Amino acid sequence: MKKLTIKLFFVVAMMCAAKLYAQEADLFSAMEPSLTSEEKGKVTSVKSSFKKAKDLESQIKEEDAKLAKNSSKKAKKNEKKAVDVKTLRIKQGLLYEQGYSNLYKLYVEKVRDGVFIYDEDEKKVDDLLKSADTDNSSAGRKMKPYKSVTPKDLKKSITYSKLKSDLEGVNSLFESAIKKLIEAYIVIGDQEQKKQLEDEENRSWQNAQSENTIYGYQNYISEYPNGKYVSEAKVMIADLEEIERKKLEDSKNRIVAGYLFFHV
């Protein structure tokens, strides 16, 4: 992957992390702060495709309402009457596919430009990229049959319920792929914050070691209860407590010995 400044990813990650979880269905706001003018133009084109698709929704609902009035006993007749709404849904699906595909290409490039500090984060991003690619490819394969259907197919071969289910599945897979790319981008950006926290913990541990007191090690554990040096800190505390115990015991023995000597 290409090397970009870590600070850029850090700033972007902080902005998009909160948005990703607060707006799960929003596929744009999380990434927009990091986009160039040219990339924002591509996103505008994607939004245009989505808008055209959504604009068909009212027509689809009207057709659905007409079909709902017919009796279930006239299923075959309903399938013939559903040709118009099937055509509308396919048209809508193609518009969504166009938008998702262009957004996918853009986000994949952003993720592949990432720079890595930690091997485990690179692996996590690679796994997310593979999973996103699987979802995206599956969506494309699921959509492909509907690109070459004929009016005859829509009347006889393809039921409306299956068509709706398939196209909903296509959109779900496309959306899943995009969200995984956003998650991968956040992982890249979070590395800088992780590095800063790691450095702070290392400094705290070094201070505890320099001080080498029970209080110092306890203070480290208090600050980092799940820190990577907690086990070692507990061992040091136990050792220092044992030293203190022996000192106290020796002190008591000396006092007793002195007392006995004085009274002999």
Side-chain angles (χ1 to χ4, degrees):
M1 294 186 179
K2 298 177 183 177
K3 302 293 182 180
L4 292 184
T5 59
I6 299 172
K7 287 185 177 179
L8 172 61
F9 279 109
F10 173 60
V11 171
V12 172
M14 291 301 95
M15 297 179 71
C16 63
K19 291 180 179 178
L20 177 63
Y21 299 107
Q23 305 175 21
E24 289 185 357
D26 188 347
L27 304 179
F28 302 106
S29 64
M31 296 289 284
E32 281 179 329
S34 70
L35 302 179
T36 64
S37 297
E38 182 181 353
E39 290 167 341
K40 287 180 179 178
K42 292 179 181 179
V43 168
T44 298
S45 178
V46 170
K47 289 181 178 179
S48 177
S49 294
F50 284 176
K51 184 179 183 305
K52 289 176 182 177
K54 289 175 182 176
D55 287 344
L56 294 174
E57 197 62 37
S58 58
Q59 291 177 256
I60 291 171
K61 286 181 178 179
E62 287 178 11
E63 293 296 325
D64 280 344
K66 291 178 185 178
L67 292 174
K69 293 179 181 179
N70 296 323
S71 170
S72 59
K73 295 179 180 181
K74 301 177 181 179
K76 290 185 179 180
K77 190 174 182 180
N78 277 358
E79 289 299 334
K80 291 181 180 179
K81 289 185 176 182
V83 170
D84 288 343
V85 71
K86 289 177 183 178
T87 302
L88 282 171
R89 283 193 179 273
I90 291 173
K91 182 179 179 181
Q92 184 185 54
L94 291 172
L95 285 167
Y96 275 125
E97 181 189 38
Q98 180 183 349
Y100 280 121
S101 295
N102 289 335
L103 194 63
Y104 183 86
K105 291 175 185 176
L106 174 60
Y107 286 4
V108 161
E109 290 178 4
K110 299 296 288 184
V111 173
R112 286 180 177 164
D113 277 341
V115 58
F116 293 95
I117 302 174
Y118 302 98
D119 290 341
E120 63 268 25
D121 287 330
E122 184 170 13
K123 184 182 183 307
K124 184 175 182 179
V125 168
D126 283 342
D127 289 343
L128 284 167
L129 278 171
K130 290 174 183 175
S131 183
D133 180 65
T134 297
D135 287 346
N136 190 65
S137 298
S138 296
R141 286 193 298 271
K142 203 174 182 70
M143 186 68 199
K144 188 175 180 180
Y146 292 103
K147 293 181 178 181
S148 57
V149 293
T150 66
K152 184 179 179 180
D153 293 329
L154 295 179
K155 285 182 180 179
K156 297 183 177 181
S157 305
I158 302 172
T159 64
Y160 187 34
S161 59
K162 183 178 187 307
L163 183 144
K164 285 194 294 183
S165 176
D166 284 350
L167 294 182
E168 287 172 359
V170 167
N171 282 354
S172 179
L173 285 167
F174 274 133
E175 186 171 314
S176 174
I178 297 299
K179 286 184 177 179
K180 286 172 183 176
L181 294 179
I182 294 172
E183 183 181 350
Y185 196 69
I186 289 175
V187 169
I188 295 170
D190 278 348
Q191 290 180 110
E192 179 67 14
Q193 184 189 34
K194 187 191 295 186
K195 182 68 167 58
Q196 289 182 359
L197 293 175
E198 186 178 86
D199 289 344
E200 289 174 5
E201 182 183 354
N202 287 337
R203 284 194 294 272
S204 179
W205 174 244
Q206 289 168 5
N207 290 337
Q209 287 182 305
S210 297
E211 185 178 330
N212 197 35
T213 63
I214 293 173
Y215 173 79
Y217 291 120
Q218 287 176 336
N219 189 52
Y220 165 79
I221 294 174
S222 177
E223 287 185 40
Y224 302 95
N226 298 311
K228 56 184 176 180
Y229 304 110
V230 167
S231 296
E232 190 174 346
K234 289 180 178 179
V235 170
M236 296 304 297
I237 290 172
D239 288 346
L240 290 172
E241 286 178 338
E242 179 63 15
I243 291 172
E244 290 296 321
R245 185 190 67 77
K246 287 182 177 180
K247 284 182 179 180
L248 182 59
E249 186 176 312
D250 289 344
S251 177
K252 287 180 178 178
N253 289 337
R254 284 196 299 271
I255 292 173
V256 171
Y259 176 80
L260 292 174
F261 176 80
F262 181 78
H263 284 80
V264 170

